[in-house]
Amino acid sequence: QVQLVESGGGLVQPGGSLRLSCAASGIIVSFNVMAWYRQAPGKERELVASINSGGTTDYADFVKGRFTISRDNAKNTVYLQMNSLKPEDTAVYYCNLVVPNRGIDLWGKGTLVTVSS
């Protein structure tokens, strides 16, 4: 089965940190572009960060300097380290992998991050 499974979400206080994991099976993450998205209640899903096959990363402006996307090729896993969390970071976070020429568009089921005191 080709799938992505997120983990690591939970409740954290403002200013705190969490690390999300996206474990892939049936596909090699280092050969593809991986991304984290998030969706807050009542809002559209938005891109948070991405990493390509060469290791180049991109970030949304609202997380620059606070979040870091990384990849462990041996574990076939992508991470999102989230620091200095704010209440507005509260959302369901999703892992995504797309390979357009192979018709692959994979999404995990999401992991909930709640930032609140």
Side-chain angles (χ1 to χ4, degrees):
Q1 181 73 28
V2 178
Q3 62 180 352
L4 306 174
V5 179
E6 304 98 334
S7 62
L11 175 64
V12 64
Q13 294 184 335
S17 298
L18 285 174
R19 188 181 73 165
L20 306 183
S21 298
C22 174
S25 60
I27 195 164
I28 307 300
V29 301
S30 64
F31 292 172
N32 303 287
V33 177
M34 303 292 298
W36 287 96
Y37 287 76
R38 71 186 188 187
Q39 188 167 24
K43 295 187 177 181
E44 296 290 316
R45 189 170 298 187
E46 60 186 353
L47 179 65
V48 175
S50 66
I51 182 168
N52 71 10
S53 60
T56 300
T57 58
D58 283 306
Y59 298 92
D61 287 343
F62 52 81
V63 303
K64 286 181 178 177
R66 299 190 297 124
F67 291 11
T68 303
I69 188 170
S70 62
R71 184 179 66 210
D72 186 330
N73 295 340
K75 294 184 172 65
N76 204 34
T77 298
V78 174
Y79 303 96
L80 184 68
Q81 178 67 47
M82 305 185 295
N83 299 325
S84 302
L85 284 162
K86 305 173 181 179
E88 52 263 43
D89 294 318
T90 296
V92 177
Y93 285 73
Y94 299 91
C95 184
N96 173 245
L97 182 155
V98 175
V99 186
N101 63 347
R102 291 183 178 269
I104 297 173
D105 185 5
L106 298 177
W107 292 89
K109 293 184 177 180
T111 185
L112 177 62
V113 173
T114 302
V115 184
S116 177
S117 59

